[in-house]
Amino acid sequence: MNGGRPREPGNPPAMELAAVTGSAAFADAALEVVGVARHELALISVDLDRRLFGTEAFTDKLRSFILAHRRARLRVLVHDPVAAVRNSIRLVQFGRLLSSRIEFRAVPEERRKLREEFLIADERAVLYRSSPDQLEAKHYADAPMVARSHLREFEALWNEAVVAREMSTLGI
């Protein structure tokens, strides 16, 4: 933020970066990222940790996003679809109801050594941590260049990924 002063021509806007420490702060930051989304959310997670992505608050925020915007879309990449279903059943059930706007895919086996987790809203806001074991994360409230960089990584994995059947079928 620049304190309300006009930006000088030729200077890019400053990135809004906040350090996030601990599960509760990460969950709050995830809610903030979802809250600013208007068109698309991209999420990559190892197993959709229930403390972060399996909460009622997170699912409610996603529901508001998806239902408020006619073309809203959520794409989710997971490393372990079975654990993800177990951890975030609310999110998975909601995704099953709106499968035309919410899609789940599994990261290819050979790419699972990459443990980064991030949530990107509209090529603008990013919540990032280098692995699910990390207590520290970075929250970029307004950083289009950072968001686009992570989105390129996401797109590459997305194009290699397969549909996560465990998350898209009812299993009846």
Side-chain angles (χ1 to χ4, degrees):
M1 305 266 266
N2 65 5
R5 292 174 302 204
R7 195 170 44 89
E8 291 182 32
N11 290 338
M15 289 186 293
E16 295 180 32
L17 169 63
V20 175
T21 304
S23 301
F26 190 95
D28 290 344
L31 292 174
E32 285 182 38
V33 171
V34 173
V36 300
R38 297 292 169 257
H39 304 290
E40 181 176 31
L41 285 166
L43 169 63
I44 184 167
S45 174
V46 170
D47 61 1
L48 293 176
D49 185 328
R50 77 171 32 100
R51 298 168 299 165
L52 311 173
F53 307 114
T55 66
E56 189 173 341
F58 187 77
T59 305
D60 288 347
K61 192 66 112 168
L62 282 175
R63 182 176 289 115
S64 295
F65 158 68
I66 291 288
L67 298 177
H69 308 287
R70 194 176 64 184
R71 293 191 177 150
R73 174 176 142 166
L74 167 65
R75 295 183 296 161
V76 181
L77 274 169
V78 295
H79 290 239
D80 185 346
V82 173
V85 169
R86 189 175 48 249
N87 288 340
S88 296
I89 192 66
R90 285 183 183 103
L91 172 57
V92 173
Q93 287 175 333
F94 181 58
R96 288 172 179 164
L97 292 173
L98 287 169
S99 60
S100 64
R101 296 170 71 186
I102 301 172
E103 190 174 353
F104 299 97
R105 291 191 185 178
V107 173
E109 194 82 34
E110 63 276 4
R111 299 287 300 258
R112 292 185 183 169
K113 65 182 179 288
L114 301 171
R115 311 267 302 161
E116 296 173 309
E117 294 194 323
F118 48 81
L119 175 63
I120 306 165
D122 295 337
E123 294 186 12
R124 185 158 228 55
V126 178
L127 179 60
Y128 169 85
R129 67 181 175 176
S130 58
S131 95
D133 305 328
Q134 290 292 316
L135 293 177
E136 303 225 348
K138 296 176 183 175
H139 176 208
Y140 298 89
D142 187 17
M145 291 176 68
V146 174
R148 282 187 212 109
S149 174
H150 285 298
L151 198 52
R152 280 191 296 274
E153 292 175 53
F154 181 89
E155 292 292 345
L157 281 173
W158 185 259
N159 291 330
E160 294 176 36
V162 295
V163 173
R165 297 276 177 227
E166 301 85 347
M167 301 177 85
S168 59
T169 59
L170 292 175
I172 298 175

